[in-house]
Amino acid sequence: MRKKIVAGNWKMNKTFNEAEDLLFNISDLLKENPVAGAQVLVCPPALYLELAADIAHENGFDCGAQNLSEHESGAFTGEISAAMIASTGAKYVIIGHSERRTYFGEKDDLLAVKVSQALKHGLIPVYCCGEILAEREENRHFDVVGGQISQALFHLSPDDFAKVVVAYEPVWAIGTGRTASPEQAQEMHAYIRKVLAGKFGDAAKETTILYGGSCNAANARELFAKPDVDGGLIGGASLKAEDFVKIAHSF
Ligand code: 13P
């Protein structure tokens, strides 16, 4: 079901005590000024998931992991399964972030398996897509993103597809301070919805599509005002409670 979401991707940041502080600070700010009509979500490093789930659920927000294994269980040293994530109380998992694609060689066929694995264990996939700068400059960004969407999501049943959240994160905007303009974001979000509609029909109208890439407290409102932008996946600005909660109030 389509909803407004502001999700914080903490990436590989925060020690245990820092993570606890950030979670309590977010909780305090949300208590003072509750966010109505949007889901707030934090995605800390996996080893803080149980802590985050406990604090989040007591305070009206949610949490998710940043990655998961494509395997069910077994001899995969260092990996974390969907069942493990679900058992912490986390509800979401980011899949296919550009940093996983770039630094860990994750490709769409693997990500398709990860999406299915998440759904099998009741986790909501936040499936990330987005082009690099050269692809946009060569005017290939629609083809690239369309391919990422079809290859990792088109195998899903209608029931499973209905649970998926998509995040459009142009790689050139991630951590660069160079945000997509609201018009660029809207154009791509509308395109993603069209690609999804080509496969899943009217169900695509119910898909939540988030924008990510240098989204912050100063620019979130104009991005979120666009009709196909249902919220944000926030990196750097999610590491400061005030900024993150301000973004969550930007609808
Ligand atoms: P920044 O907000 O730091 O650009 O990161 C975006 C991102 O990658 C969220 O997943």
Side-chain angles (χ1 to χ4, degrees), residues 38-39 44 57 68 71 77 85 92 95 98 101 113 117 120 131 136 181 187 198 202 204 209 239 246:
Q39 173 76 61
H57 295 158
L68 82 170
H71 300 290
T77 300
I85 293 168
Y92 292 77
I95 295 175
S98 75
R101 294 174 186 265
V113 179
Q117 194 62 19
K120 181 177 169 194
E131 80 284 358
R136 179 166 279 266
S181 68
E187 187 184 34
D202 274 355
I209 308 179
L239 299 173
K246 192 161 175 213

Side-chain angles (χ1 to χ4, degrees), residues 18-230:
E18 290 166 352
E20 200 172 37
D21 282 350
L22 179 53
L23 289 163
F24 282 128
N25 288 339
I26 292 170
S27 301
D28 288 346
L29 291 169
L30 290 175
K31 252 183 255 164
E32 272 167 35
N33 194 5
V35 172
Q39 173 76 61
V40 178
L41 172 68
V42 295
C43 300
L47 74 171
Y48 312 143
L49 276 178
E50 191 196 350
L51 172 80
D54 287 349
I55 295 174
H57 295 158
E58 269 172 31
N59 292 283
F61 59 106
D62 232 319
C63 85
Q66 298 175 12
N67 179 35
L68 82 170
S69 170
E70 69 273 29
H71 300 290
E72 187 65 27
S73 66
F76 300 100
T77 300
E79 289 291 272
I80 296 170
S81 73
M84 293 173 187
I85 293 168
S87 72
T88 68
K91 297 266 176 11
Y92 292 77
V93 57
I94 298 171
I95 295 175
H97 191 281
S98 75
E99 288 146 20
R100 300 292 317 171
R101 294 174 186 265
T102 304
Y103 305 132
F104 302 94
E106 297 192 358
K107 301 267 188 302
D108 292 331
D109 53 348
L110 172 81
L111 299 172
V113 179
K114 290 193 174 198
V115 168
S116 292
Q117 194 62 19
L119 289 162
K120 181 177 169 194
H121 290 275
L123 296 169
I124 298 171
V126 179
Y127 176 67
C128 300
C129 56
E131 80 284 358
I132 63 171
L133 186 59
E135 291 163 341
R136 179 166 279 266
E137 285 172 349
E138 291 159 13
N139 208 26
R140 292 196 291 123
H141 45 302
F142 293 114
D143 286 350
V144 168
V145 171
Q148 291 169 338
I149 292 285
S150 61
Q151 287 175 46
L153 300 181
F154 277 16
H155 67 292
L156 296 175
S157 68
D159 277 359
D160 273 350
F161 167 68
K163 296 170 193 149
V164 172
V165 171
V166 173
Y168 169 57
E169 299 205 312
V171 181
W172 46 270
I174 295 177
T176 58
R178 182 179 169 187
T179 322
S181 68
E183 292 69 30
Q184 285 172 322
Q186 168 58 26
E187 187 184 34
M188 185 59 88
H189 284 224
Y191 176 75
I192 291 169
R193 208 178 291 287
K194 194 175 103 188
V195 170
L196 292 172
K199 173 71 182 173
F200 296 103
D202 274 355
K205 290 186 187 149
E206 290 300 314
T207 305
T208 303
I209 308 179
L210 309 180
Y211 169 78
S214 297
C215 184
N216 58 40
N219 61 27
R221 189 168 290 281
E222 52 173 359
L223 285 159
F224 298 173
K226 291 294 178 190
D228 285 294
V229 179
D230 301 311

